[in-house]
Amino acid sequence: MAKRYIKNNVGKKNRIFSLIICIAFSLLFIIISQTLPMHSAITIALASSSPSIYFSEDSWDFGEITPDELPVHIFKFKNIGDEVLIIKGTKVSCESCVDPLISTDKLNPGEEGELKITVNSLEMIGRFTKRIYLESNDPVNPQAAVTVSGFIKEKNESVVQPQPKIQPQPQTPFRIGISYFGRGEYDKAIAEFEKSIELDENHTESYYYLGQCYLQKGIIEYNNKNIFKAYSLYRKANKFAEQVIPQYEKNIKNNPKDLNSYLKLGYIYETRSIVPFINEYNEALGYYLKALDLATGSSPAGNTGIIIYLNTRIGYIYFEKKKYSQALEYLESAIKMSSYNIEAFYYLGLSYDKIGEEEKAQEYLSRVIELAPQSEWAQDAEKELKKISK
């Protein structure tokens, strides 16, 4: 198995509120990106007088993916122009489903960079196709697009691999709901998950995603400064969490090695703790530690992504609990396995600052800015660095 970083759906407490789940792009840029291969000759012809981004491949199909897998693919790109190429950032159609990381924000003529894509299969089921846009100062192709696709199996379900690039029609309300959820259409997803529960009142995953829909709607309302409406939605999300928690606990009782249930329970308790006056980090920590034990004990090589994710989450929770030595231990493990883990670098910087090691704190916070200069993580890292330097 591989992992996705699951980017911070859950970072520090206030960070989750800043996630924007679904971004709409202009029709002009979509048309440009879809027709890019037809205009490659034009791009190269103009390269002599400007920066020009070129991807050696613009799509990748992961094939069949298991529910706990977080697959990764690296797209390589190059500046084939004669001026410096400035990477301004990335945009994706679903930030909770795809995590893009760029290796650099500046390429001199002839230099190469990497765009690392991690797919969060924990939040999707069925066929998916996601576009990732790389924004730059290329005047011809300011939003270069790459596409990832694949088929995520439902847990404990044997699925015949569909033909690549073909979108099968979901056959159940749950599958339809998952499709809407992946696109950020939460009201439509809620309607389908409710239908699924009417058909099977014990369908655990329908309750889980119903709660996640209300949570994401709450985040959107919070970002729009509708605090009371956001709180109302959080309460609804919590209600479904209360219904689904016993189901996952029952799954674990029946199968103590059910990694999915440990991951889901840890995630539920962690996200519930973002609400003021609720602190369930101990519960989240317990499930995450057990999940890490299972992931490292069964097939460590196949569970690399899950292990990175769990070390990051555990490190963050220890930070929130002010247990900085333990936080450092797990966060260090995370970056040893992934040198692009921005969240881990960020909390390493904060943890070292808390124990008075300012030099290391500055090193790790600077690393955040170096890896993702356009990100919100980088903005927060810059603020922390200013505090340290005072």
Side-chain angles (χ1 to χ4, degrees), residues 268-313:
I268 288 170
Y269 281 116
E270 184 180 0
T271 55
R272 274 158 56 115
S273 298
I274 69 174
V275 179
F277 310 114
I278 295 179
N279 185 334
E280 296 179 335
Y281 286 127
N282 284 335
E283 290 81 356
L285 185 61
Y287 285 114
Y288 280 149
L289 287 169
K290 181 59 179 178
L292 182 61
D293 182 58
L294 288 173
T296 54
S298 56
S299 177
N303 288 337
T304 300
I306 295 292
I307 294 170
I308 296 171
Y309 165 68
L310 288 168
N311 275 298
T312 306
R313 303 266 44 82

Side-chain angles (χ1 to χ4, degrees), residues 72 86 121 124 166 246 275 286 313 337 340 365:
V72 173
I86 304 297
S121 64
M124 296 186 290
I166 296 177
V275 179
R313 303 266 44 82
M337 302 178 71
Y340 292 98
L365 290 171

Side-chain angles (χ1 to χ4, degrees), residues 117-169:
I117 304 299
T118 304
V119 174
N120 177 15
S121 64
L122 300 176
E123 298 294 335
M124 296 186 290
I125 289 180
R127 187 72 188 173
F128 71 90
T129 300
K130 301 295 178 184
R131 278 185 176 272
I132 303 93
Y133 297 82
L134 192 65
E135 296 184 317
S136 73
N137 64 336
D138 183 341
V140 176
N141 190 24
Q143 286 198 348
V146 295
T147 304
V148 293
S149 57
F151 188 87
I152 302 171
K153 298 189 293 184
E154 190 169 357
K155 186 173 177 59
N156 298 325
E157 177 182 82
S158 177
V159 179
V160 178
Q161 172 67 37
Q163 292 296 319
K165 310 291 184 180
I166 296 177
Q167 180 75 35
Q169 292 297 319

Side-chain angles (χ1 to χ4, degrees), residues 15-29:
R15 180 172 305 285
I16 192 169
F17 295 130
S18 66
L19 295 177
I20 302 174
I21 304 303
C22 193
I23 302 173
F25 300 103
S26 68
L27 181 60
L28 174 61
F29 286 140

Side-chain angles (χ1 to χ4, degrees), residues 116-368:
K116 183 178 181 180
I117 304 299
T118 304
V119 174
N120 177 15
S121 64
L122 300 176
E123 298 294 335
M124 296 186 290
I125 289 180
R127 187 72 188 173
F128 71 90
T129 300
K130 301 295 178 184
R131 278 185 176 272
I132 303 93
Y133 297 82
L134 192 65
E135 296 184 317
S136 73
N137 64 336
D138 183 341
V140 176
N141 190 24
Q143 286 198 348
V146 295
T147 304
V148 293
S149 57
F151 188 87
I152 302 171
K153 298 189 293 184
E154 190 169 357
K155 186 173 177 59
N156 298 325
E157 177 182 82
S158 177
V159 179
V160 178
Q161 172 67 37
Q163 292 296 319
K165 310 291 184 180
I166 296 177
Q167 180 75 35
Q169 292 297 319
Q171 298 179 351
T172 66
F174 177 71
R175 287 184 177 277
I176 297 172
I178 288 293
S179 178
Y180 283 132
F181 182 85
R183 297 199 296 268
E185 299 181 48
Y186 300 117
D187 289 329
K188 292 180 180 179
I190 287 170
E192 296 301 327
F193 291 134
E194 288 175 343
K195 291 179 186 177
S196 180
I197 291 170
E198 288 178 3
L199 295 172
D200 180 3
E201 63 181 12
N202 297 316
H203 197 268
T204 307
E205 297 297 298
S206 292
Y207 285 104
Y208 172 80
Y209 282 103
L210 196 54
Q212 288 302 305
C213 285
Y214 284 113
L215 175 63
Q216 300 303 334
K217 282 168 63 69
I219 292 170
I220 292 171
E221 293 298 335
Y222 185 90
N223 289 333
N224 291 331
K225 311 300 182 184
N226 299 322
I227 307 302
F228 291 107
K229 190 170 184 179
Y231 182 68
S232 175
L233 290 164
Y234 292 146
R235 291 186 63 184
K236 285 187 178 181
N238 185 64
K239 180 189 74 173
F240 288 108
E242 292 294 342
Q243 289 180 270
V244 79
I245 286 172
Q247 293 294 328
Y248 284 124
E249 290 175 340
K250 183 179 179 181
N251 291 346
I252 291 172
K253 184 177 180 179
N254 294 333
N255 179 14
K257 295 185 178 181
D258 185 358
L259 179 60
N260 176 68
S261 291
Y262 286 107
L263 288 168
K264 292 288 179 64
L265 284 168
Y267 182 77
I268 288 170
Y269 281 116
E270 184 180 0
T271 55
R272 274 158 56 115
S273 298
I274 69 174
V275 179
F277 310 114
I278 295 179
N279 185 334
E280 296 179 335
Y281 286 127
N282 284 335
E283 290 81 356
L285 185 61
Y287 285 114
Y288 280 149
L289 287 169
K290 181 59 179 178
L292 182 61
D293 182 58
L294 288 173
T296 54
S298 56
S299 177
N303 288 337
T304 300
I306 295 292
I307 294 170
I308 296 171
Y309 165 68
L310 288 168
N311 275 298
T312 306
R313 303 266 44 82
I314 293 168
Y316 161 71
I317 291 174
Y318 273 128
F319 174 83
E320 287 294 327
K321 290 168 62 65
K322 302 184 181 349
K323 296 184 177 181
Y324 304 117
S325 296
Q326 292 95 323
L328 290 171
E329 175 187 350
Y330 287 95
L331 294 169
E332 292 280 9
S333 296
I335 65 168
K336 284 179 182 178
M337 302 178 71
S338 171
S339 59
Y340 292 98
N341 193 333
I342 298 170
E343 184 180 358
F345 279 114
Y346 180 81
Y347 284 107
L348 276 169
L350 296 190
S351 297
Y352 275 115
D353 181 42
K354 291 295 185 180
I355 63 174
E357 295 193 32
E358 293 185 0
E359 188 174 335
K360 284 191 174 182
Q362 291 172 332
E363 175 188 346
Y364 285 116
L365 290 171
S366 297
R367 182 66 172 153
V368 173

